[in-house]
Protein backbone atom coordinates (compact mmCIF):
# COMPACT_ATOMS: atom_id res chain seq x y z
CA UNK A 1 0.00 0.00 0.00
CA UNK A 2 1.23 3.49 -0.80
CA UNK A 3 0.94 4.97 2.68
CA UNK A 4 1.05 8.65 3.49
CA UNK A 5 4.27 8.14 5.44
CA UNK A 6 5.96 6.30 2.55
CA UNK A 7 5.00 8.94 0.01
CA UNK A 8 6.06 11.83 2.24
CA UNK A 9 9.35 10.09 3.06
CA UNK A 10 10.10 9.68 -0.65
CA UNK A 11 9.18 13.30 -1.32
CA UNK A 12 11.39 14.56 1.51
CA UNK A 13 14.37 12.70 0.04
CA UNK A 14 14.06 15.05 -2.95
CA UNK A 15 13.75 18.26 -0.94
CA UNK A 16 15.90 21.24 -1.88
CA UNK A 17 16.41 23.90 0.78
CA UNK A 18 17.10 26.76 -1.66
CA UNK A 19 14.01 25.95 -3.69
CA UNK A 20 11.94 25.67 -0.49
CA UNK A 21 13.04 29.19 0.44
CA UNK A 22 12.16 30.60 -3.00
CA UNK A 23 8.74 28.97 -3.53
CA UNK A 24 6.79 30.87 -0.85
CA UNK A 25 7.41 34.11 -2.76
CA UNK A 26 6.52 32.50 -6.10
CA UNK A 27 3.26 31.07 -4.72
CA UNK A 28 2.34 34.21 -2.76
CA UNK A 29 2.14 32.70 0.71
CA UNK A 30 2.34 35.91 2.75
CA UNK A 31 -0.47 37.09 4.98
CA UNK A 32 -3.42 38.14 2.81
CA UNK A 33 -2.00 36.51 -0.32
CA UNK A 34 -3.73 33.69 -2.20
CA UNK A 35 -1.32 30.97 -1.03
CA UNK A 36 -1.23 32.04 2.61
CA UNK A 37 -0.13 29.23 4.89
CA UNK A 38 1.45 27.00 2.24
CA UNK A 39 4.76 25.42 3.19
CA UNK A 40 7.31 23.87 0.85
CA UNK A 41 9.84 21.07 0.76
CA UNK A 42 11.40 22.45 -2.44
CA UNK A 43 10.67 19.55 -4.80
CA UNK A 44 10.48 19.94 -8.57
CA UNK A 45 7.24 18.94 -10.29
CA UNK A 46 8.82 16.20 -12.40
CA UNK A 47 9.98 14.45 -9.21
CA UNK A 48 6.49 14.77 -7.72
CA UNK A 49 5.05 13.13 -10.84
CA UNK A 50 7.58 10.31 -10.53
CA UNK A 51 6.55 9.68 -6.92
CA UNK A 52 2.87 9.80 -7.87
CA UNK A 53 3.40 7.24 -10.66
CA UNK A 54 5.34 5.00 -8.29
CA UNK A 55 2.54 4.88 -5.71
CA UNK A 56 -0.80 5.63 -7.37
CA UNK A 57 -1.85 2.05 -8.15
CA UNK A 58 -1.65 1.09 -4.49
CA UNK A 59 -2.71 4.35 -2.85
CA UNK A 60 -6.06 4.51 -1.06
CA UNK A 61 -8.55 7.36 -1.05
CA UNK A 62 -7.72 7.88 2.62
CA UNK A 63 -4.06 8.43 1.79
CA UNK A 64 -4.90 10.83 -1.03
CA UNK A 65 -7.16 12.74 1.33
CA UNK A 66 -4.45 12.88 4.02
CA UNK A 67 -2.01 14.28 1.45
CA UNK A 68 -4.59 16.83 0.28
CA UNK A 69 -4.92 18.06 3.85
CA UNK A 70 -1.20 18.65 4.21
CA UNK A 71 0.15 22.16 4.70
CA UNK A 72 2.95 21.22 2.29
CA UNK A 73 2.21 22.27 -1.24
CA UNK A 74 4.17 19.42 -2.85
CA UNK A 75 2.27 16.81 -0.84
CA UNK A 76 -1.03 18.23 -2.10
CA UNK A 77 0.22 18.43 -5.69
CA UNK A 78 1.46 14.83 -5.52
CA UNK A 79 -2.00 13.85 -4.25
CA UNK A 80 -3.57 15.64 -7.22
CA UNK A 81 -1.30 13.72 -9.61
CA UNK A 82 -2.22 10.42 -7.91
CA UNK A 83 -5.90 11.34 -8.12
CA UNK A 84 -5.57 12.14 -11.82
CA UNK A 85 -3.88 8.79 -12.48
CA UNK A 86 -6.63 7.02 -10.52
CA UNK A 87 -9.29 8.80 -12.59
CA UNK A 88 -7.59 7.90 -15.87
CA UNK A 89 -7.32 4.24 -14.87
CA UNK A 90 -10.95 4.15 -13.75
CA UNK A 91 -12.12 5.74 -17.00
CA UNK A 92 -10.84 2.69 -18.89
CA UNK A 93 -13.59 0.58 -17.30
CA UNK A 94 -16.33 3.15 -16.71
CA UNK A 95 -15.69 3.62 -12.99
CA UNK A 96 -14.45 7.19 -13.03
CA UNK A 97 -17.51 8.72 -11.34
CA UNK A 98 -16.26 7.79 -7.86
CA UNK A 99 -13.07 9.79 -8.53
CA UNK A 100 -15.03 12.77 -9.83
CA UNK A 101 -17.08 12.76 -6.61
CA UNK A 102 -13.89 12.46 -4.57
CA UNK A 103 -12.35 15.37 -6.49
CA UNK A 104 -15.40 17.58 -5.95
CA UNK A 105 -15.66 16.61 -2.28
CA UNK A 106 -12.05 17.70 -1.83
CA UNK A 107 -12.08 20.72 -4.15
CA UNK A 108 -11.41 23.15 -1.28
CA UNK A 109 -8.04 21.43 -0.74
CA UNK A 110 -7.10 21.82 -4.41
CA UNK A 111 -6.19 25.32 -3.46
CA UNK A 112 -3.56 26.84 -5.67
CA UNK A 113 -3.33 27.55 -9.37
CA UNK A 114 -0.97 24.67 -10.19
CA UNK A 115 -3.09 22.12 -8.32
CA UNK A 116 -6.19 23.23 -10.24
CA UNK A 117 -4.40 23.52 -13.57
CA UNK A 118 -2.91 20.03 -13.16
CA UNK A 119 -6.23 18.35 -12.50
CA UNK A 120 -9.44 20.19 -13.43
CA UNK A 121 -9.30 19.46 -17.16
CA UNK A 122 -8.11 15.89 -16.60
CA UNK A 123 -10.79 14.91 -14.09
CA UNK A 124 -13.78 17.23 -14.19
CA UNK A 125 -13.29 18.44 -17.76
CA UNK A 126 -13.05 14.96 -19.19
CA UNK A 127 -15.98 13.75 -17.09
CA UNK A 128 -18.24 16.59 -18.23
CA UNK A 129 -17.54 16.21 -21.96
CA UNK A 130 -20.89 14.49 -22.51
CA UNK A 131 -22.77 15.41 -19.31
CA UNK A 132 -24.78 18.25 -17.83
CA UNK A 133 -22.43 21.02 -16.73
CA UNK A 134 -24.50 22.51 -13.90
CA UNK A 135 -21.70 21.74 -11.46
CA UNK A 136 -19.55 24.31 -13.27
CA UNK A 137 -22.04 27.06 -12.44
CA UNK A 138 -22.04 26.01 -8.80
CA UNK A 139 -18.24 26.07 -8.71
CA UNK A 140 -18.14 29.39 -10.58
CA UNK A 141 -20.46 31.01 -8.01
CA UNK A 142 -18.59 29.59 -5.02
CA UNK A 143 -16.88 31.90 -2.52
CA UNK A 144 -13.68 29.91 -3.14
CA UNK A 145 -11.23 31.36 -5.65
CA UNK A 146 -9.99 27.85 -6.36
CA UNK A 147 -13.44 26.38 -7.00
CA UNK A 148 -14.00 29.31 -9.38
CA UNK A 149 -10.75 28.42 -11.15
CA UNK A 150 -11.77 24.74 -11.38
CA UNK A 151 -14.93 25.85 -13.18
CA UNK A 152 -12.97 27.99 -15.62
CA UNK A 153 -10.24 25.46 -16.35
Amino acid sequence: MGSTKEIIADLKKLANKEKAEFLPRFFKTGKGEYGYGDRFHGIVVSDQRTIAKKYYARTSKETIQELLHSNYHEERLTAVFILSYKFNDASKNGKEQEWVKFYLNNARRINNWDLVDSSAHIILGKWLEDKDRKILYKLASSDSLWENRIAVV
Side-chain angles (χ1 to χ4, degrees):
M1 184 67 76
S3 75
T4 306
K5 286 181 182 181
E6 285 178 296
I7 294 168
I8 292 172
D10 273 7
L11 287 169
K12 285 182 176 180
K13 289 176 192 172
L14 302 166
N16 177 299
K17 183 180 176 186
E18 291 79 27
K19 199 164 196 44
E21 290 171 359
F22 166 77
L23 289 171
R25 289 185 302 279
F26 182 77
F27 283 101
K28 308 291 185 207
T29 63
K31 189 168 180 137
E33 295 180 311
Y34 67 78
Y36 180 68
D38 259 4
R39 298 175 69 192
F40 296 88
H41 295 297
I43 305 163
V44 298
V45 172
S46 60
D47 287 341
Q48 292 171 69
R49 287 185 187 279
T50 299
I51 298 295
K53 284 179 186 172
K54 175 181 176 181
Y55 286 105
Y56 89 91
R58 46 185 221 265
T59 300
S60 68
K61 284 181 181 173
E62 292 76 21
T63 295
I64 297 169
Q65 194 157 36
E66 287 173 9
L67 291 169
L68 285 172
H69 281 83
S70 172
N71 289 328
Y72 283 91
H73 188 89
E74 296 96 338
E75 292 173 21
R76 291 195 319 279
L77 184 56
T78 301
V80 165
F81 291 147
I82 292 169
L83 180 53
S84 296
Y85 296 144
K86 291 279 198 184
F87 173 84
N88 283 334
D89 269 5
S91 68
K92 294 173 188 171
N93 56 23
K95 296 185 178 180
E96 65 271 36
Q97 185 174 4
E98 73 176 286
W99 295 106
V100 172
K101 286 181 182 179
F102 184 86
Y103 184 79
L104 291 170
N105 287 339
N106 288 281
R108 294 251 172 182
R109 297 302 302 163
I110 302 166
N111 58 357
N112 212 311
W113 62 267
D114 61 328
L115 280 74
V116 172
D117 293 5
S118 296
S119 61
H121 68 290
I122 293 169
I123 298 170
L124 195 56
K126 185 173 180 180
W127 173 252
L128 292 175
E129 283 177 352
D130 61 352
K131 293 172 185 58
D132 187 311
R133 297 184 180 133
K134 277 192 265 186
I135 186 65
L136 296 180
Y137 296 104
K138 181 179 177 190
L139 291 167
S141 64
S142 168
D143 63 350
S144 163
L145 165 67
W146 307 115
E147 288 184 355
N148 300 157
R149 189 173 180 100
I150 289 169
V152 171
V153 173

